[in-house]
C-alpha cells in the first residue's frame, strides 16, 4: 500500500508559485486598434452574406501593402501611415481561391505575393494541425485567418461541447502568443434573433470566452448597402466605436467611418438606420435655404440629440460640400 502511495505522489505535479511582483508588464501590440491585437485571437462573426469575408480581405490588402486600414476617419482625420507590409496566411473552406478570393484581393489592391495558403487538399487542415505552426514559422506571417471556424475544428468535434472546444481554442491562443501574430476566426451567427450578441455565435460560448476581441458584422436595415462592424467584446482595450462600410455592385467597397448604432440594435433590427435617417432629414431641412456655418449646424444637431459621428455619417451619405470662407467652414447641399 505504501509503495502505491509513493507512486501516486511521484505522479503529482510539483507546486510552483508565481509572485506577481516579479511579473513584467507587457504592452499589447495592435494590428488594428482597438479591434485586432497581435498575439491574441479575434473572432469576427455575422450572418451569411453580411460582408465578413469581404471586410477581412480589404484589411489584408492594406496590410500587405503597408497601408493604414482606415485611410480616413469620419471626422476627416487620416490615420498614421508607413507601417511595414506583413505576410498573411489565409485559409478558406467556403470560397474558391482562383474564382473568388484572388479576384477580391486584386480588386482591393493586395500584394498577393504576401498572401499564403496552406495546401490542404490531401488532408484537411485543423486548428491543432502541426502544419499551421510550421507555416507561421516559415512565412513569418503576422496574421492568420481561418474562414469559417467550424471548417477547421476537425472530424468528430462537437462545436457545442465546451470540453471539446476549450483545448482547440487554447492551442490556437498559444500559437498566437508564441509567434506574436494576430489570429482571426470568422464565424456565422445562430438563428436566435432574441438572444444577446455574445450568445449569437455558432457553437459553445467558449469560442467567445477564449477570444480577446469579438466583432460582429451586420447590414443596416432599409440601407442594405451599408454594413457595420460592432465591437461586442474587448478584453485588452476600451470597446471601439462601430465602423461602417459601403458595399455595392457599382462602386464596390469603401469605408464610411464611425457609425451610431449598437450591436444589439444592429442584430435585432431596433433602430437600424433610424438615427442616420433622422440626421439626413435634419441636414436637408437646415440647409434647404443655402449654406450654413459648420459650428452652428453642430450646435443645432446637439440640441436635437444628434451625435457628432451620426452627423458626419449623414454628411458623407448626402455628399454635402464643405467650403472655407475666411476662417470658418460652411456646409452646403450639392446642386442637383
Amino acid at each position: 500500500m505504501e509503495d502505491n502511495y509513493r507512486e501516486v505522489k511521484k505522479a503529482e505535479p510539483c507546486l510552483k508559485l508565481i509572485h506577481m511582483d516579479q511579473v513584467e508588464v507587457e504592452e499589447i501590440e495592435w494590428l488594428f486598434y482597438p479591434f485586432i491585437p497581435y498575439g491574441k485571437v479575434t473572432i469576427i462573426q455575422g450572418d451569411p452574406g453580411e460582408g465578413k469575408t469581404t471586410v477581412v480581405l480589404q484589411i489584408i490588402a492594406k496590410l500587405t501593402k503597408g497601408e493604414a486600414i482606415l485611410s480616413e476617419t469620419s471626422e476627416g482625420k487620416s490615420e498614421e501611415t508607413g507601417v511595414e507590409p506583413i505576410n498573411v496566411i489565409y485559409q478558406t473552406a467556403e470560397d474558391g481561391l482562383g474564382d473568388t478570393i484572388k479576384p477580391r484581393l486584386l480588386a482591393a489592391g493586395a500584394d498577393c505575393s504576401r498572401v499564403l495558403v496552406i495546401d490542404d487538399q490531401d488532408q484537411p487542415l485543423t486548428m491543432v494541425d502541426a502544419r499551421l505552426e510550421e507555416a507561421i514559422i516559415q512565412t513569418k506571417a503576422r496574421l492568420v485567418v481561418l474562414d469559417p471556424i467550424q471548417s477547421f475544428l476537425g472530424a468528430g468535434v462537437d462545436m457545442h461541447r465546451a470540453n471539446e472546444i476549450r483545448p482547440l481554442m487554447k492551442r490556437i491562443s498559444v500559437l498566437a502568443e508564441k509567434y506574436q501574430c494576430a489570429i482571426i476566426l470568422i464565424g456565422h451567427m445562430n438563428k436566435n434573433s432574441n438572444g444577446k450578441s455574445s450568445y449569437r455565435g455558432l457553437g459553445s460560448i467558449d469560442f467567445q470566452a477564449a477570444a480577446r476581441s469579438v466583432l460582429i458584422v451586420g447590414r443596416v436595415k432599409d440601407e442594405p448597402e451599408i454594413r457595420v462592424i460592432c465591437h461586442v467584446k474587448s478584453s485588452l482595450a476600451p470597446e471601439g466605436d462601430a465602423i461602417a462600410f459601403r458595399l455595392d455592385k457599382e462602386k464596390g467597397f469603401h469605408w464610411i467611418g464611425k457609425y451610431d448604432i449598437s450591436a444589439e440594435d444592429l442584430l435585432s433590427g431596433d433602430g437600424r438606420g433610424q438615427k442616420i435617417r433622422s440626421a439626413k432629414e435634419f441636414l436637408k431641412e437646415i440647409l434647404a435655404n443655402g449654406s450654413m456655418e459648420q459650428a452652428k449646424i453642430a450646435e443645432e444637431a446637439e440640441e436635437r440629440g444628434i451625435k457628432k459621428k451620426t452627423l458626419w455619417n449623414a454628411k458623407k451619405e448626402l455628399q454635402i460640400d464643405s467650403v472655407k470662407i475666411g476662417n470658418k467652414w460652411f456646409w452646403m447641399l450639392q446642386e442637383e
Side-chain angles (χ1 to χ4, degrees), residues 181-205:
C181 62
I183 295 182
I184 293 177
L185 306 178
I186 298 179
H188 299 310
M189 307 293 282
N190 62 39
K191 302 296 184 181
N192 183 13
S193 60
N194 296 318
K196 284 187 175 182
S197 57
S198 57
Y199 290 90
R200 285 278 327 267
L202 282 180
S204 170
I205 191 66

Side-chain angles (χ1 to χ4, degrees), residues 159-211:
M159 65 188 304
H160 298 279
R161 291 183 175 274
N163 65 318
E164 296 185 24
I165 295 306
R166 284 174 189 166
L168 296 183
M169 292 301 293
K170 175 66 175 178
R171 165 66 176 167
I172 210 79
S173 298
V174 167
L175 274 185
E177 187 169 358
K178 183 177 180 180
Y179 298 102
Q180 278 302 295
C181 62
I183 295 182
I184 293 177
L185 306 178
I186 298 179
H188 299 310
M189 307 293 282
N190 62 39
K191 302 296 184 181
N192 183 13
S193 60
N194 296 318
K196 284 187 175 182
S197 57
S198 57
Y199 290 90
R200 285 278 327 267
L202 282 180
S204 170
I205 191 66
D206 285 78
F207 281 114
Q208 286 77 16

Side-chain angles (χ1 to χ4, degrees), residues 64-271:
T64 61
K65 299 290 287 293
E67 297 175 354
I69 293 172
L70 290 178
S71 58
E72 190 177 89
T73 67
S74 58
E75 285 80 17
K77 298 176 183 177
S78 296
E79 282 190 328
E80 293 181 6
T81 55
V83 186
E84 286 292 324
I86 67 171
N87 290 342
V88 177
I89 295 173
Y90 180 80
Q91 296 297 133
T92 179
E94 293 187 338
D95 297 307
L97 298 180
D99 59 18
T100 304
I101 300 304
K102 185 168 183 179
R104 288 188 184 182
L105 286 170
L106 291 174
D111 178 354
C112 289
S113 69
R114 289 188 171 274
V115 183
L116 297 309
V117 180
I118 300 170
D119 187 344
D120 63 351
Q121 291 185 359
D122 295 332
Q123 182 179 345
L125 188 75
T126 69
M127 291 168 66
V128 295
D129 199 312
R131 289 174 295 173
L132 194 55
E133 183 170 7
E134 291 174 10
I136 295 172
I137 295 171
Q138 188 177 128
T139 65
K140 295 181 172 61
R142 297 300 313 276
L143 173 62
V144 177
V145 179
L146 302 181
D147 181 10
I149 300 172
Q150 56 265 39
S151 295
F152 299 94
L153 299 179
V157 174
D158 187 340
M159 65 188 304
H160 298 279
R161 291 183 175 274
N163 65 318
E164 296 185 24
I165 295 306
R166 284 174 189 166
L168 296 183
M169 292 301 293
K170 175 66 175 178
R171 165 66 176 167
I172 210 79
S173 298
V174 167
L175 274 185
E177 187 169 358
K178 183 177 180 180
Y179 298 102
Q180 278 302 295
C181 62
I183 295 182
I184 293 177
L185 306 178
I186 298 179
H188 299 310
M189 307 293 282
N190 62 39
K191 302 296 184 181
N192 183 13
S193 60
N194 296 318
K196 284 187 175 182
S197 57
S198 57
Y199 290 90
R200 285 278 327 267
L202 282 180
S204 170
I205 191 66
D206 285 78
F207 281 114
Q208 286 77 16
R212 299 298 83 197
S213 179
V214 179
L215 307 170
I216 286 177
V217 178
R219 188 185 309 236
V220 175
K221 187 179 180 181
D222 300 329
E223 296 187 72
E225 294 175 352
I226 297 178
R227 320 294 174 87
V228 182
I229 304 170
C230 285
H231 220 166
V232 296
K233 177 183 176 181
S234 182
S235 301
L236 305 172
E239 287 187 4
D241 292 322
I243 298 176
F245 59 93
R246 180 178 290 278
L247 189 61
D248 60 55
K249 293 181 180 179
E250 294 182 3
K251 298 181 180 179
F253 178 101
H254 74 268
W255 292 105
I256 295 174
K258 293 180 181 178
Y259 203 85
D260 188 18
I261 192 170
S262 70
E264 306 303 333
D265 287 346
L266 185 67
L267 292 176
S268 68
D270 295 336

